[in-house]
Amino acid sequence: MRLADDAEEISRGYARRHGITRDAAWFLLKLQEEVGELTQAFLMRAGQARSKGHTQQEIEEMFRGELADVLCHVLLLARHHDVDLEEAVERKWLVWKPDPPTVRS
């Protein structure tokens, strides 16, 4: 998956520049950190937290950015544990997809 490859390359470079060891605990804890930041942006967006001087447009951008961070960290966590997310989604979610309606002629 190209997105996972790109996220891996960026994360590896970030860790190298900052002397971070990306072990199993780091991948999970980093995801948790990003979910916390997404929660904060969500609460600001919903008017349930201080805006900290940010405009509504800035808050919207923060929310989108934090969603992207969470997605990328899920991809990184899966890769670290050799989980094929596409296959896992097929087995866990897409089995519940309704059959397409039959077309009558």
Side-chain angles (χ1 to χ4, degrees):
M1 178 185 289
R2 182 172 168 242
L3 182 57
D5 293 341
D6 290 345
E8 175 61 28
E9 181 181 352
I10 291 164
S11 177
R12 192 180 309 121
Y14 178 86
R16 187 173 44 251
R17 282 189 307 280
H18 297 285
I20 295 169
T21 301
R22 297 180 325 145
D23 59 10
W26 181 86
F27 283 101
L28 182 61
L29 293 171
K30 189 64 178 172
L31 174 59
Q32 183 63 42
E33 176 187 350
E34 296 301 340
V35 169
E37 291 173 3
L38 173 60
T39 301
Q40 182 179 35
F42 172 83
L43 290 172
M44 283 183 191
R45 185 177 189 247
Q48 295 178 320
R50 297 180 295 121
S51 66
K52 299 182 180 180
H54 296 289
T55 66
Q56 195 60 40
Q57 183 177 353
E58 290 170 330
I59 292 169
E60 285 297 320
E61 285 300 312
M62 288 170 53
F63 180 70
R64 288 183 182 98
E66 295 306 335
L67 278 170
D69 286 349
V70 168
L71 174 62
C72 286
H73 280 284
V74 166
L75 295 173
L76 291 167
L77 180 64
R79 177 179 284 235
H80 182 77
H81 290 283
D82 296 319
V83 173
D84 179 338
L85 277 179
E86 290 184 68
E87 186 272 334
V89 168
E90 286 277 338
R91 289 183 46 213
K92 180 77 177 184
W93 281 81
L94 299 184
V95 295
W96 300 106
K97 187 175 177 182
D99 294 331
T102 306
V103 177
R104 296 181 189 195
S105 39

